[in-house]
Amino acid sequence: MKTPAVWFPAVRARSGADVFTERLCSALKSAGIRAEITWLPLRAEYAPWTVLVPSPPDWANIVHINSWLHPRFVPWHLASIATVHHCVHDPDLEPFKTPLQKLYHRYWIRGIEASILKHVTMVTAVSRYSSRRTQKVFDCTNIEVIHNGIDTTIFLPGQRDRPHQPFRLLYVGNWLERKGVDLLGPIMQTLGSGFELHYTADRSGRHQRYSLPSNCHCQGRLSKEGLIETYQKADALLFPSRLEGFGLVVAEAMACALPVIAGYNSALPEVVANGVSGLLCTPHQATAFVEACRALASDLDLWRKMRNSARQRVVTHFNEQQQSWKYIEMYKVLQAKQDSSL
């Protein structure tokens, strides 16, 4: 059997899917697997006929794609695997879409995903939640769950044994209602001067779409190094998101030993062990997040235990090396299937 050699044709969308592809490709190379990304422009998603179809490298025997990639760009003679990052057809997501997004997802992306999921050799999803929702929407089965991985040699804890005064919360993410950013102002207003929130701008450079009190401070757009340093300087991640396909920010923060205060919804309970590595709150309720913040800030022993548990949970369940080896084993199965069919 040939050694797996993986090609990633991917649309550059400045999203979590980009991060997934870059990190997995790098991890595969570190494990001795030949891998390469070919980035396509964003218009390849919504106007694929305007983009030339790249040829796969001669050495590639497996193609790994995002489930949104138009079939035009998939070399079907190779063994193929598609990864579902987030089921945008989830009914729970509908309230947070614009009318244009609803039309786009229903009449364009849905058809693309249906074709991809039907014709690829294997399908993976980054969480059990995303797998269940995808199977329900497309009436498909046999989606393998491989959680996202974090490089725990880079995302490291800061060296502190007690929280800041005031207690330093951190929000990292886009400024979307789905992310619960409308709750940040009421939460921080109620918490008052004993707490402060540091927050990032989203990928478009926008921030503070909602009114925030004076105990909130924008960090702007951060490099990876700047983000890690910001995680290390915070005391807890405040993440009131209403729906996540996985929760990459949550796993990154936990790798840096940040307890997480998040909503009990979607894929987040798969990442955060409630009461162990963080506190999961009733979604949509600012008061629940306020109570959780106060409980964590007022109990030094709990804060220290959750820091240790958060880091250990990522090392044990979500480390990048573990993720890459699961994909390598899957690639080997794909390659064996391909060889047996020749």
Side-chain angles (χ1 to χ4, degrees), residues 100-140:
L100 184 59
Q101 285 174 325
K102 291 178 181 179
L103 292 171
Y104 183 64
H105 292 158
R106 177 65 183 88
Y107 295 104
W108 181 246
I109 295 300
R110 187 164 181 153
I112 290 172
E113 280 200 286
S115 179
I116 290 294
L117 296 177
K118 179 179 179 181
H119 291 103
V120 292
T121 316
M122 300 184 79
V123 181
T124 66
V126 299
S127 68
R128 292 188 295 274
Y129 178 83
S130 291
S131 174
R132 289 194 302 269
R133 291 302 171 114
T134 300
Q135 290 185 64
K136 185 173 182 179
V137 170
F138 293 100
D139 192 26
C140 58

Side-chain angles (χ1 to χ4, degrees), residues 20 23 27 125-128 145-153 155 245-256 260 267-274 277 309-326:
F20 166 90
R23 291 182 180 176
V126 299
S127 68
R128 292 188 295 274
V145 175
I146 302 180
H147 288 114
N148 283 327
I150 305 298
D151 186 344
T152 55
T153 67
F155 287 86
F246 173 73
L248 191 62
V249 164
V250 171
E252 289 177 348
M254 288 168 55
C256 296
V260 175
L268 294 175
E270 296 178 47
V271 185
V272 181
N274 189 28
S277 59
S309 296
R311 169 68 182 177
Q312 190 56 48
R313 182 164 175 80
V314 175
V315 169
T316 303
H317 297 288
F318 307 114
N319 72 78
E320 192 172 76
Q321 186 179 50
Q322 181 186 64
Q323 178 209 35
S324 63
W325 278 110
K326 286 181 179 179

Side-chain angles (χ1 to χ4, degrees), residues 140-194:
C140 58
T141 57
N142 300 323
I143 297 179
E144 183 79 15
V145 175
I146 302 180
H147 288 114
N148 283 327
I150 305 298
D151 186 344
T152 55
T153 67
I154 297 175
F155 287 86
L156 293 165
Q159 300 303 311
R160 293 187 296 112
D161 67 350
R162 59 184 61 249
H164 295 88
Q165 293 295 332
F167 193 85
R168 185 176 298 178
L169 298 164
L170 174 66
Y171 170 77
V172 174
N174 290 322
W175 281 75
L176 304 171
E177 187 180 355
R178 174 176 67 83
K179 294 286 188 177
V181 290
D182 54 302
L183 299 176
L184 293 176
I187 291 170
M188 296 310 300
Q189 185 70 47
T190 303
L191 286 173
S193 60

Side-chain angles (χ1 to χ4, degrees), residues 8 34 37 40 45 68-69 129 158 164 171 200 210 213 244 255 266 272 278 287 337:
F8 296 89
R34 192 166 186 181
I37 305 170
L40 303 171
E45 179 183 297
W68 282 34
L69 187 69
Y129 178 83
H164 295 88
Y171 170 77
T200 60
Y210 300 88
E244 292 293 317
S266 57
V272 181
T287 54
K337 287 183 176 181

Side-chain angles (χ1 to χ4, degrees), residues 86-97 105 178 243:
H86 183 52
C87 183
V88 295
H89 317 291
D90 186 340
D92 290 347
L93 190 60
E94 287 298 301
F96 308 111
K97 293 182 184 181
H105 292 158
R178 174 176 67 83
L243 196 152

Side-chain angles (χ1 to χ4, degrees), residues 46-114:
Y46 56 83
W49 54 88
T50 69
V51 178
L52 291 175
V53 177
S55 298
D58 293 338
W59 48 261
N61 51 39
I62 291 172
V63 59
H64 190 157
I65 62 173
N66 183 332
S67 62
W68 282 34
L69 187 69
H70 194 278
R72 165 184 171 85
F73 301 110
V74 183
W76 293 110
H77 65 283
L78 297 180
S80 54
I81 177 172
T83 295
V84 177
H85 294 279
H86 183 52
C87 183
V88 295
H89 317 291
D90 186 340
D92 290 347
L93 190 60
E94 287 298 301
F96 308 111
K97 293 182 184 181
T98 65
L100 184 59
Q101 285 174 325
K102 291 178 181 179
L103 292 171
Y104 183 64
H105 292 158
R106 177 65 183 88
Y107 295 104
W108 181 246
I109 295 300
R110 187 164 181 153
I112 290 172
E113 280 200 286

